[in-house]
Amino acid sequence: GQQLNQSPQSMFIQEGEDVSMNCTSSSIFNTWLWYKQDPGEGPVLLIALYKAGELTSNGRLTAQFGITRKDSFLNISASIPSDVGIYFCAGRPLGGGADGLTFGKGTHLIIQP
Amino acid sequence: DGGITQSPKYLFRKEGQNVTLSCEQNLNHDAMYWYRQDPGQGLRLIYYSQIVNDFQKGDIAEGYSVSREKKESFPLTVTSAQKNPTAFYLCASGRLWEQFFGPGTRLTVL
């Protein structure tokens, strides 16, 4: 199946810092989604992207659909303690069927006091 | 409130037993999905259903079974044939381009 490479695997940052993470694929995707998962909970959809070059914000979060259609980026500005969690990218490849999304392995965001 | 519910939150099973995990949604979504999550791993698709009375195997369907008798419900049975069932199980529903997840069930085999 398709593989999504998500990086970095972990991030240790100070409160107030900006955060950047990305997701890449070897093939073209026509949808990119970003989720956040708190420990012991289900992932929550943060941002959905449907068009190459699209830039979408949700509060302090901004995500972009890469123009090559093989990558996506998520930025968090001015991080706060409740941003801690695992961030997953997910996507649907071009020509993909109805069998669900392909997920990255997640970026663990840890905020140091 | 609209959403997806899963029950129970925690489930313990003895080896050799079948267990059924519940998933209900009131979002009027046609599609429903079951994923398995292991530590340090992404989500892996077990089964999915696009319409009532129809479902398809995902990437890791061996040892699992599902039914889709109602649009709102998509229960997952973890059978004794599943070699390593201890994991976090997530149900989702959605449209083709988006999926929304329930809170998950953590299954532990004793």
Side-chain angles (χ1 to χ4, degrees), chain A residues 1 9 30-31 33 35 37 40-45 48 50 86 88 92 96-106 108, chain B residues 9-10 31 33 35 37 40-45 48 50 57-59 88 90 95-104 106:
Chain A
Q9 187 174 2
N30 59 19
T31 302
L33 306 173
Y35 291 87
Q37 186 177 28
E41 300 295 330
V44 173
L45 181 62
Y50 303 109
I86 304 175
F88 289 100
R92 185 175 300 282
D99 59 344
L101 299 170
T102 300
F103 285 83
K105 292 190 176 181
H108 291 242
Chain B
K9 181 70 173 172
Y10 299 96
Y33 307 84
Y35 291 90
Q37 186 177 32
Q41 301 291 321
L43 279 67
R44 292 185 290 168
L45 184 65
Y48 65 99
Q50 294 295 314
K57 291 181 180 180
D59 299 321
F88 191 48
L90 288 160
R95 303 173 285 269
L96 189 62
W97 309 114
E98 294 177 343
Q99 290 181 19
F100 301 90
F101 287 86
R106 184 166 300 280

Side-chain angles (χ1 to χ4, degrees), chain A residues 18 34-35 73 83 104:
Chain A
D18 295 343
W34 285 93
Y35 291 87
F73 308 88
D83 291 334

Side-chain angles (χ1 to χ4, degrees), chain A residues 22-40:
Chain A
N22 68 79
C23 198
T24 60
S25 169
S26 58
S27 56
I28 291 172
F29 275 56
N30 59 19
T31 302
W32 287 100
L33 306 173
W34 285 93
Y35 291 87
K36 180 188 181 228
Q37 186 177 28
D38 291 327

Side-chain angles (χ1 to χ4, degrees), chain B residues 16-86:
Chain B
Q17 287 182 336
N18 294 352
V19 289
T20 297
L21 283 60
S22 169
C23 178
E24 305 276 334
Q25 56 101 359
N26 60 5
L27 300 170
N28 200 33
H29 288 154
D30 287 317
M32 296 187 74
Y33 307 84
W34 274 104
Y35 291 90
R36 171 180 172 141
Q37 186 177 32
D38 295 286
Q41 301 291 321
L43 279 67
R44 292 185 290 168
L45 184 65
I46 304 172
Y47 268 97
Y48 65 99
S49 169
Q50 294 295 314
I51 195 169
V52 173
N53 292 322
D54 186 57
F55 48 82
Q56 305 295 329
K57 291 181 180 180
D59 299 321
I60 56 165
E62 185 176 350
Y64 300 98
S65 66
V66 294
S67 63
R68 187 84 187 277
E69 297 176 0
K70 298 187 300 182
K71 186 175 184 177
E72 301 79 15
S73 179
F74 191 39
L76 173 75
T77 297
V78 184
T79 75
S80 57
Q82 167 51 234
K83 297 279 188 277
N84 184 21
T86 294

Side-chain angles (χ1 to χ4, degrees), chain A:
Chain A
Q2 300 288 340
Q3 296 289 326
L4 288 180
N5 298 310
Q6 192 171 348
S7 66
Q9 187 174 2
S10 300
M11 298 186 75
F12 295 81
I13 64 167
Q14 302 281 348
E15 184 177 349
E17 287 185 13
D18 295 343
V19 172
S20 292
M21 60 190 78
N22 68 79
C23 198
T24 60
S25 169
S26 58
S27 56
I28 291 172
F29 275 56
N30 59 19
T31 302
W32 287 100
L33 306 173
W34 285 93
Y35 291 87
K36 180 188 181 228
Q37 186 177 28
D38 291 327
E41 300 295 330
V44 173
L45 181 62
L46 300 172
I47 294 177
L49 303 160
Y50 303 109
K51 211 160 92 169
E54 181 180 355
L55 187 71
T56 298
S57 293
N58 178 5
R60 293 178 295 106
L61 278 62
T62 301
Q64 185 164 22
F65 193 139
I67 57 172
T68 67
R69 302 172 73 184
K70 293 183 178 181
D71 55 11
S72 180
F73 308 88
L74 176 69
N75 295 318
I76 305 172
S77 63
S79 59
I80 61 177
S82 62
D83 291 334
V84 166
I86 304 175
Y87 292 80
F88 289 100
C89 63
R92 185 175 300 282
L94 184 67
D99 59 344
L101 299 170
T102 300
F103 285 83
K105 292 190 176 181
T107 293
H108 291 242
L109 181 60
I110 299 160
I111 297 180
Q112 297 173 319

